[in-house]
Amino acid sequence: MTIQKILVATSIIAGLAPAAQADNGTAGIAAETKTLASSSGRTDGAALLKRGRIVFLRCRSCHTLKEGERHLTGPNLHGLMGAKAAAKEGYAYSEPLSKAGVTWTEENLDAWLTSPGGFVKGNRMVFAGLPKASDRQALILYLAKETQ
């Protein structure tokens, strides 16, 4: 299930999306989310977002999420999904990351969050990574929502 589908499903489940939206190609997303939830032990997309927010606590000492917030030890992550890596103005990125040519997709973020040092060798991010796939999935969903 893609992040976009999870976001729409979460909105539908939470009652935040208009009913008509479910008819625009997303009718099966709520059911797909429930399938994901039952297979992952989560109750719904909202629980996945909540887990992502909790996992982000590990990141917030170095990263901010909202537009206009300052860079910390790491760059501000606003507009992350679909953005080129090492492209935020006002932040000094490592040369390896600047030259990597990475675009932040769900797959690339998953690989990065698994092992930043393994994904782009020589980058300066000192975070060791998230070994649990469920934590990475929840964090990616949360980042996709919070950095729009």
Side-chain angles (χ1 to χ4, degrees):
M1 178 180 291
T2 67
I3 296 292
Q4 182 178 7
K5 286 182 178 180
I6 294 171
L7 287 173
V8 171
T10 302
S11 296
I12 292 168
I13 291 167
L16 301 174
Q21 186 176 6
D23 295 329
N24 294 331
T26 59
I29 295 175
E32 195 173 332
T33 300
K34 288 178 184 174
T35 300
L36 172 70
S38 63
S39 67
S40 68
R42 302 190 190 290
T43 57
D44 58 35
L48 197 57
L49 280 172
K50 182 178 179 180
R51 179 67 189 149
R53 185 175 64 245
I54 291 167
V55 174
F56 181 74
L57 294 175
R58 299 179 188 178
C59 313
R60 73 178 184 172
S61 64
C62 296
H63 295 283
T64 55
L65 301 176
K66 301 297 180 193
E67 184 174 18
E69 290 182 325
R70 66 186 179 104
H71 300 301
L72 301 175
T73 303
N76 171 284
L77 301 176
H78 183 264
L80 177 68
M81 298 304 289
K84 296 285 185 194
K88 288 278 186 164
E89 289 194 31
Y91 187 80
Y93 294 93
S94 65
E95 188 174 337
L97 186 58
S98 296
K99 291 181 176 182
V102 172
T103 297
W104 293 123
T105 62
E106 294 171 39
E107 295 78 18
N108 284 340
L109 278 170
D110 185 61
W112 173 265
L113 292 169
T114 300
S115 174
F119 185 68
V120 176
K121 300 229 185 279
N123 80 76
R124 290 193 305 244
M125 187 165 162
V126 296
F127 184 65
L130 295 171
K132 291 176 66 177
S134 60
D135 284 348
R136 293 190 308 273
Q137 178 188 21
L139 179 58
I140 292 167
L141 175 64
Y142 178 75
L143 290 174
K145 182 177 184 294
E146 293 297 315
T147 65
Q148 294 181 11

